[in-house]
Amino acid sequence: MQRKSFSLSSKKAAVLSVITAALLIAAACVLNRFLSGKEYYYLMAVLIIAVSCLPLLVSFEKSRPSARELAVLACMSALAAASRAAFFSLPTIKPSCAIVIITAACFGAQSGFICGALSMFVSNFLFGQGPWTPFQMLAMGAVGLAAGLIFCNKKVRNNRLILAAVGGILCFVIYGLIVDISSVLMMATDFSLKQILSIYASGVPFNFSHAATTAVVLLLAGKAFIEKLDRIKIKYGMFGSNQ
């Protein structure tokens, strides 16, 4: 029962986050009639990110994770951050997204979101904190959230090809889209459709390489990694596995 309750709580928090983001975006569009200037667009975007993440963070806190669960989640977040830092000189090759997806597949959507957001925040102490950090945290957290909801079915996550294909798509579509939004807000001058599309187009090669790296890592090591984490989860009764 605990596992079902945990999963249901994740879905409710995810739905609430989406609804909150939609309402805030609608409010921002209304405010746009009274405010002008690029700085307001960015400020509103950051506020939307912060408020939209609250339901997930509160839901995770209410689930009352044990010390063991927090320790494992911290280790996975550190591993994701370290894997990003290890390829510092190769900006388009980062296995961190694959690790976040593996974490989400094993421990659930909430854990996937926390792992993704935390790993980006920590690794940016090396890469550099900046106005892009909230967008990167939201993007990787959203990938973890989506992966947790998709791979809650063991038959789906145990299929290496599906795991790799879906992981690559999540990385390309979700992470790429959200991070590119930050690029538009920071680089666009007149927010014309032509300029926005050109900025998105310039990010396609990076997003494709990032997604391909994620898919390859999941294909080669994803299933084995998940099996190891499942053993730890079952052995210590973590994340509702003892129910």
Side-chain angles (χ1 to χ4, degrees):
M1 294 299 294
Q2 183 180 352
R3 182 60 182 176
K4 290 182 180 179
S5 175
F6 185 83
S7 178
L8 183 61
S9 178
S10 299
K11 293 178 181 179
K12 285 183 177 179
V15 171
L16 184 57
S17 291
V18 172
I19 294 174
T20 302
L23 292 175
L24 288 173
I25 290 172
C29 292
V30 174
L31 286 173
N32 184 50
R33 297 186 60 183
F34 306 99
L35 300 175
S36 61
K38 184 178 177 180
E39 65 275 10
Y40 292 114
Y41 285 106
Y42 191 84
L43 178 60
M44 286 189 290
V46 172
L47 288 175
I48 290 172
I49 290 173
V51 177
S52 299
C53 289
L54 283 178
L56 286 164
L57 297 176
V58 172
S59 175
F60 181 77
E61 178 63 25
K62 286 186 175 181
S63 69
R64 296 183 178 180
S66 66
R68 284 176 175 173
E69 291 171 345
L70 290 176
V72 172
L73 187 55
C75 287
M76 295 305 297
S77 300
L79 182 60
S83 68
R84 186 177 180 224
F87 292 86
F88 182 88
S89 59
L90 300 172
T92 62
I93 300 178
K94 307 292 181 187
S96 53
C97 190
I99 296 175
V100 171
I101 291 172
I102 289 170
T103 303
C106 291
F107 303 140
Q110 290 172 324
S111 298
F113 180 85
I114 297 296
C115 178
L118 186 59
S119 65
M120 297 305 291
F121 177 71
V122 172
S123 61
N124 271 0
F125 282 103
L126 174 64
F127 286 89
Q129 302 286 357
W132 50 83
T133 299
F135 292 89
Q136 291 176 331
M137 291 174 64
L138 175 64
M140 195 62 78
V143 169
L145 178 67
L149 296 176
I150 293 172
F151 295 121
C152 60
N153 188 319
K154 288 187 177 182
K155 292 183 179 180
V156 175
R157 77 177 190 188
N158 288 337
N159 187 309
R160 293 173 58 189
L161 293 178
I162 294 178
L163 179 66
V166 173
I169 292 172
L170 291 178
C171 181
F172 184 87
V173 175
I174 297 180
Y175 184 87
L177 176 63
I178 295 176
V179 172
D180 285 346
I181 289 175
S182 69
S183 298
V184 170
L185 291 174
M186 288 185 287
M187 297 172 61
T189 55
D190 57 6
F191 294 99
S192 64
L193 180 61
K194 181 178 180 181
Q195 190 177 64
I196 291 173
L197 290 178
S198 66
I199 294 175
Y200 273 112
S202 65
V204 169
F206 172 84
N207 294 332
F208 180 80
S209 178
H210 192 192
T213 302
T214 300
V216 170
V217 173
L218 290 173
L219 181 65
L220 298 179
K223 186 176 179 180
F225 209 150
I226 288 174
E227 289 174 353
K228 300 294 184 184
L229 290 178
D230 276 341
R231 291 175 187 173
I232 295 174
K233 182 173 68 173
I234 294 172
K235 180 178 180 180
Y236 294 104
M238 298 186 299
F239 300 98
S241 62
N242 57 342
Q243 300 298 318

